[in-house]
Every structure is written in C-alpha cells, then in structure tokens.
Amino acid sequence: MVKVNGTERDIAGKTILEFLAATEYDPKRIAVERNQDIVFKSQYGDTVLEDGDTLEIVSFVGGG
Amino acid sequence: MIPSQKEWQEALIQRHGPDLQERFSAASAAICGLGGLGSNIAIALARAGIGRLRLLDFDRVDITNLHRQQYKAHQIGQYKTEALAENLREMAPYLSIELVTERITEDNLSALLDGVDVVCEAFDDPEAKAMLVNGVLEQFPSVYLVAASGMAGMGTPNTIRTRKITKRFYLCGDGTSDTANTIGLVAPRVMVCAAHQAHTVLRILAGEFDV
C-alpha cells in the first residue's frame, strides 16, 4: 500500500506518471513529494511506487 | 528626520532581543510575485528588520491591484518592483533591496534566485506556482521555500494554515479556495495568508522549524 495525502491506496508497482494519469490532478499544477523528498518532474515516469511509500501531492489553486 | 542606522538597529533589538535580531539582520529572502501576497510579505519582513530582500515581478501596478496590494494611487503604471521598493524604503530605510523586473521561468530561475536563505512563492497563477516550487526544490536543496495555495473568496479566515510538507518546504493557505470559483481575492484573507508566510520565514530564521 502507498499512502497518498494521508489515504492508503493500492498502487504499489505503478509509476508516479501512471498513478497521476488515473487521477484528476493537472500535472502542470502539482508538486510531488515521495518519502519527504521532491520527485523531479522529469522522473515521474521512472519512479516506481513501492509498498510503504508515502506520497504527498501538492496541487496549487489560483490566487496571490 | 530619519533616525540613523544605529538608532534603527537599537530599536529593533529593543523589540526582538539581540539574538533574534541578529538572525533577522543577517538573513535574506526572495519574494517571487509582488501582488497581494508578495507586497504584504515584503512589508512584514522589512518591518521585522530582515537584512536583505530580493523583489521579483515583471508586472506594473494596475488600478485593479489596489484593493489588496500595498501600492498607492500615484504608483499606477510603475513597475511593482520599483513601487514596492519605494514604499519599503519609507518603512525600513536601511533594508538592502534587490530588484528583478523580469518573468521567472524554469530556465532563469537558478540564476535569479541564487544567494538567498529563503524563497517565498507569492504568484497568482497556479501553473507558475507549481513551476517555481518544483524548480526551487529541485535546484536549491539547501534553501527554505514558503509557498501559498488557497486564499481567495469570502470564506472564514480560520481555514488558512501553514503545513510543513518536507524538511524545507512549507505551504500556507486553505489549499482549495481558487480565484476561478470564488468572487476573487479579498484583502484581509490574502493578508492572513501573507502573514502566515512572513511569520513562517521569521520562524525559520529563528531556528523554529515546526508548524
């Protein structure tokens, strides 16, 4: 299981890109942290999620 | 008559104590975007006696900015960098200010943000926010980043808070109130978020890293 923003999800084995493609997240408006480290945008397709990972997806909305 | 730099420093020490003030005076922050968030963050940090601010914005002051941004009627049409620097000098005459009047992109980010302790993300556009956050976290692993998302509308200010996402990445806001689906930005709620960002910067400088 992978914890995504606090919720356990059965997505171990998928890449971050594969996981994101199945969600509503807009890839241009997010930053992804895996186990407390930023995942480089260029690495989304190469980063395979492992059992026990913690993923934090920060999605930005407009306004400032 | 403006007090001398020595008098100014003594007044700050009287308020904050010598240890804290020494940390603030020695520190630098970059403020990316000088709208409702950035102009308020800059004023708070300047008044608190931070040593150096780098102000970054490509845009000019527009009449529609004045409902929430810290500019004046006679500054309409001026570059925000220059107008804000003018205002900050009236509040903190010995603050060191650097102006960058250009658009921050993935390509120039590493050059424009080099040499500061903390970066504040204070953009309006969500894609620009994400670009800056990813860029800073990827290219400046030792810099602290304080970003914001979600401060639009007339909702309660009590949902605006600061979260610590990673060791060096803090995020302020309610996370959801978007300019796209609210009445837009209203001065005090934006100021609440800007205050969270500014105070988080000062806490980092004070060595207080929890939220």
Side-chain angles (χ1 to χ4, degrees):
Chain A
M1 297 296 267
V2 176
K3 193 178 269 189
V4 183
N5 292 5
T7 305
E8 297 277 2
R9 305 282 298 267
D10 189 12
I11 53 170
K14 291 187 178 189
T15 67
I16 288 177
L17 197 62
E18 287 167 344
F19 165 64
L20 289 173
T23 68
E24 301 277 291
Y25 286 113
D26 178 347
K28 287 186 177 158
R29 297 184 176 197
I30 60 170
V32 178
E33 288 77 28
R34 179 186 179 221
N35 303 330
Q36 290 282 304
D37 282 320
I38 183 77
V39 181
F40 283 37
K41 287 204 92 95
S42 58
Q43 298 298 309
Y44 286 1
D46 299 326
T47 305
V48 179
L49 294 164
E50 291 174 23
D51 199 38
D53 276 355
T54 298
L55 212 58
E56 184 74 29
I57 301 168
V58 175
S59 184
F60 289 93
V61 297
Chain B
M1 184 68 186
I2 294 172
S4 70
Q5 187 163 11
K6 186 166 172 285
E7 289 171 302
W8 208 278
Q9 200 60 19
E10 283 168 358
L12 286 168
I13 289 169
Q14 198 183 334
R15 289 295 179 183
H16 297 141
D19 296 343
L20 202 50
Q21 192 53 48
E22 196 179 323
R23 286 168 177 258
F24 292 172
S25 300
S28 56
I31 302 178
C32 302
L34 304 177
L37 293 173
S39 61
N40 279 298
I41 295 167
I43 287 174
L45 295 179
R47 287 196 188 279
I50 196 167
R52 178 164 58 96
L53 283 181
R54 186 175 302 164
L55 308 176
L56 304 97
D57 200 304
F58 63 88
D59 212 357
R60 294 174 186 268
V61 178
D62 185 82
I63 188 171
T64 60
N65 299 149
L66 294 192
H67 74 121
R68 74 179 194 284
Q69 304 183 17
Q70 298 291 351
Y71 301 102
K72 302 169 188 176
H74 76 85
Q75 293 177 319
I76 291 169
Q78 286 184 31
Y79 280 117
K80 289 184 178 180
T81 47
E82 291 169 9
L84 187 59
E86 205 174 274
N87 298 344
L88 293 175
R89 284 193 191 101
E90 293 177 9
M91 302 169 197
Y94 302 105
L95 166 69
S96 169
I97 306 176
E98 302 166 353
L99 304 184
V100 178
T101 308
E102 58 182 296
R103 194 185 286 270
I104 306 174
T105 66
E106 268 170 322
D107 299 326
N108 66 17
L109 178 150
S110 65
L112 298 185
L113 297 178
D114 193 37
V116 296
D117 302 312
V118 186
V119 172
C120 293
E121 180 282 309
F123 289 154
D124 191 43
D125 175 68
E127 290 185 15
K129 285 172 174 289
M131 180 278 296
L132 184 73
V133 164
N134 282 292
V136 170
L137 293 173
E138 290 181 10
Q139 296 179 43
F140 292 97
S142 64
V143 162
Y144 289 91
L145 172 66
V146 183
S149 181
M151 76 299 299
M154 281 295 288
T156 171
N158 291 336
T159 49
I160 291 176
R161 63 194 184 108
T162 301
R163 295 167 60 210
K164 188 173 180 180
I165 307 292
T166 66
K167 199 175 169 202
R168 293 177 180 273
F169 172 30
Y170 296 80
L171 183 67
C172 307
D174 66 22
T176 56
S177 302
D178 196 332
T179 41
N181 51 26
T182 64
I183 62 157
L185 296 156
V186 185
R189 202 161 191 270
V190 179
M191 290 169 84
V192 170
C193 191
H196 269 260
Q197 288 185 274
H199 200 69
T200 298
V201 172
L202 294 180
R203 280 180 56 79
I204 290 166
L205 301 180
E208 302 283 349
F209 299 108
D210 294 335
V211 293

